[in-house]
Amino acid sequence: MERVLVYGLGTSVGGMEEYVMNLFRTIDKSKYVFDIIPHGGNFFYAEHEVNQLGGRVYKIPAQTKHPLQSMKELNQHLKALRISHKILYFQSCGFYNVVPFLLAKKYHYTIITHGHNTRNHGRSAAVELLHLINRIYVRRISRYCFACSKDAGTWIFGKRSVRKNRVNIINNAIDCEKFRFKEDVRQAVRKQLNMDNDVVIGHVGRFVYQKNHDFLIELFYTIHQQNEQTKLLLIGEGELRPTVEKKVNALGLDQAVLFLGKRNDIPELMWAMDVFVLPSRFEGLPVSAVEAQAAGLPLVLSDTISSETKLTEHVQFCSLKKPISYWAERVLSDTSEHKDTTEELKTSGFDLERQTCQFEKLLGRLT
C-alpha cells in the first residue's frame, strides 16, 4: 500500500478540498492512502474522516500568518515523512510560494502538481508575474501536471504545455448517483425551510473574494424587488460572511436570504432550489457547478468560469460587465423543472468511480 502525501489544501471545505476528499473516499485504499498537510493552520475540516479512511493529518502554522514557521515545520515534516512516502501530490491555485516545491525536490519526492484555478485577479501584477516565473520550475520538476480544465491548465502550466498534451485533465468528478433528483425530498426540504411557494435561488461557495458574494446580493436585491416570492440560499462559510450578512441586513433582505453555513446535505438542498447562480470573479472548473447540474438544476454562471463547465443544456454564461438587470432576467428565464441528468454527467466523464480508476492508473505508473 502506497501512502500519498497531499499538500496545498485549505482548512475549511471548498471545491479543491472536496475534490481530494471525494477521491480519497473512492480510491482503493488497499493500494493508496492519503496523508494531508493543510497549509492554512492547525485545523482541517475533514480530519476525523481522513483518520477513519486510514490517513493522517499533519498540521503546520498558517502560511499567511506565520510564513517562516510554516515553511520550517513543512521542511521538518517532508524530511521525516520521506521514509514512508514517495509521492507528493500538490494542490495549487497559483505558484506564488515556490518553497514547498524546492523542499519536495530537495528530499527527492515524486511530484504531482494539480492546478485548480484560472487566474487570481485579486493579486497584483508583480505577484502574478511571480507565478509565471515559478511555473517554469514547477513544470520541470513535476512528474505529472494535472488540471481540472484546459483553461486551468493553461493558466497554471502554460498554453504550450496544454497544446503538447503535457497536462492531464482530471475532471472534478462527483458521486453522480448521490445527486440523482428526488421530488419527494425536494418538497420536504422546501416545506421545512418554509419556502413552498417561492422561487429559490441557490449558491454554494466559501465567503471569499473569488466567489463575488457582493455582486450576488445586489443581484438578488434586484430580483426580490421584482418578485417578493423569492428566496436566496447561501451555503458555505468563510472570512467575508459577516460582511455579507451586514449588507443583507442593510438592504432589508434578512427574511429572504438564508445563511445555511457548512452543510452535509448538499444534494437535498440543491433539489430544493429552482436555479443555481455562481458569479465568480475567477474559477477553474467549480465542483459546485458540476453538482448543481447533476441535481438537474438550470445554472447561471459568470463567463470568467471555464466553458468546459457546461455539461448539460441548462447552463447560461453572463459577463460580469453586464448590468444587474440583465443578470436578473437571465436568472428568472429558466426555472424549469428538475431533469434527471445523471447519465449525462457520467457520459461527460464526471462520474467519480470512473475518474478514480483513471487516477489510480496514473499513480500505478509511479509505483
Side-chain angles (χ1 to χ4, degrees):
M1 185 261 289
E2 187 81 22
R3 303 195 75 90
V4 178
L5 198 57
V6 180
Y7 177 80
L9 301 181
T11 57
S12 59
V13 63
M16 188 165 67
E17 289 73 26
E18 275 300 280
Y19 157 77
V20 170
M21 289 306 301
N22 280 337
L23 189 59
F24 192 11
R25 291 169 187 132
T26 313
I27 205 164
D28 184 346
K29 281 168 279 295
S30 68
K31 295 180 181 178
Y32 304 104
V33 170
F34 290 173
D35 294 324
I36 296 173
I37 306 179
H39 67 68
N42 293 318
F43 171 79
F44 184 63
Y45 78 100
E47 180 175 2
H48 179 67
E49 185 179 5
V50 170
N51 292 337
Q52 285 186 320
L53 293 171
R56 303 186 187 98
V57 176
Y58 298 94
K59 288 170 280 193
I60 60 177
Q63 191 178 122
T64 52
K65 295 181 180 179
H66 310 283
L68 294 180
Q69 187 63 25
S70 179
M71 292 302 97
K72 179 182 178 181
E73 293 191 22
L74 176 63
N75 177 65
Q76 292 170 347
H77 280 307
L78 293 186
K79 182 179 180 180
L81 291 171
R82 183 61 185 88
I83 299 171
S84 53
H85 296 71
K86 174 184 176 183
I87 298 170
L88 183 45
Y89 185 22
F90 282 98
Q91 312 298 315
S92 180
C93 291
F95 305 130
Y96 307 109
N97 178 11
V98 78
V99 173
F101 294 94
L102 293 170
L103 294 175
K105 179 66 174 175
K106 175 183 177 182
Y107 296 116
H108 306 290
Y109 282 90
T110 299
I111 298 169
I112 302 172
T113 305
H114 195 147
H116 291 271
N117 226 331
T118 49
R119 173 176 292 274
N120 193 336
H121 297 284
R123 296 180 183 267
S124 68
V127 174
E128 294 299 301
L129 179 61
L130 183 64
H131 159 74
L132 297 178
I133 294 170
N134 287 341
R135 76 181 183 186
I136 298 170
Y137 175 70
V138 173
R139 280 198 310 252
R140 184 164 61 84
I141 66 169
S142 297
R143 182 71 175 275
Y144 282 143
C145 295
F146 292 166
C148 63
S149 67
K150 287 185 180 179
D151 287 347
T154 298
W155 161 242
I156 293 289
F157 299 109
K159 188 182 296 184
R160 186 177 179 184
S161 294
V162 173
R163 190 173 62 247
K164 291 184 173 292
N165 295 317
R166 294 173 181 166
V167 179
N168 291 283
I169 304 303
I170 306 294
N171 294 330
N172 284 342
I174 62 169
D175 183 348
C176 293
E177 288 296 334
K178 184 179 177 181
F179 285 84
R180 191 185 288 272
F181 178 62
K182 296 178 182 177
E183 177 66 34
D184 59 332
V185 178
R186 167 183 166 85
Q187 296 304 328
V189 173
R190 288 173 69 89
K191 185 174 183 178
Q192 180 185 1
L193 294 176
N194 194 29
M195 54 188 194
D196 303 55
N197 301 314
D198 294 312
V199 175
V200 180
I201 299 160
H203 173 89
V204 179
R206 279 188 286 197
F207 287 86
V208 292
Y209 171 82
Q210 173 185 0
K211 301 298 180 181
N212 206 6
H213 284 87
D214 191 61
F215 181 93
L216 180 59
I217 298 305
E218 290 179 16
L219 169 61
F220 180 70
Y221 177 71
T222 299
I223 291 171
H224 195 63
Q225 283 186 314
Q226 296 175 17
N227 180 4
E228 290 188 354
Q229 288 293 104
T230 51
K231 292 280 177 63
L232 175 63
L233 301 188
L234 297 178
I235 302 168
E237 292 288 354
E239 60 197 48
L240 296 182
R241 175 169 170 169
T243 303
V244 177
E245 289 177 333
K246 185 177 180 180
K247 180 164 187 169
V248 166
N249 291 330
L251 292 173
L253 295 173
D254 47 298
Q255 297 301 310
V257 178
L258 282 68
F259 290 85
L260 300 183
K262 177 190 169 185
R263 300 291 291 242
N264 297 318
D265 55 348
I266 299 297
E268 292 84 351
L269 290 170
M270 284 187 168
W271 297 335
M273 300 172 188
D274 293 300
V275 59
F276 184 86
V277 181
L278 192 63
S280 300
R281 291 182 167 96
F282 51 90
E283 289 278 3
L285 199 156
V287 173
S288 62
V290 177
E291 292 174 339
Q293 289 175 84
L297 278 166
L299 285 78
V300 180
L301 311 175
S302 55
D303 65 359
T304 54
I305 297 173
S306 170
S307 60
E308 297 165 73
T309 306
K310 182 179 172 67
L311 307 173
T312 63
E313 61 179 330
H314 293 287
V315 179
Q316 301 180 70
F317 292 94
C318 295
S319 170
L320 292 172
K321 295 178 182 178
K322 291 283 188 180
I324 292 287
S325 58
Y326 178 85
W327 272 77
E329 181 183 339
R330 293 294 89 209
V331 170
L332 296 174
S333 69
D334 187 0
T335 55
S336 55
E337 293 183 2
H338 287 242
K339 310 289 184 181
D340 187 340
T341 55
T342 304
E343 298 307 319
E344 283 185 71
L345 269 289
K346 288 182 177 180
T347 303
S348 299
F350 282 80
D351 181 65
L352 185 57
E353 286 192 12
R354 297 181 190 180
Q355 194 63 63
T356 303
C357 286
Q358 179 189 345
F359 186 83
E360 287 182 4
K361 288 178 181 177
L362 290 170
L363 281 186
R365 298 174 189 172
L366 303 179
T367 56

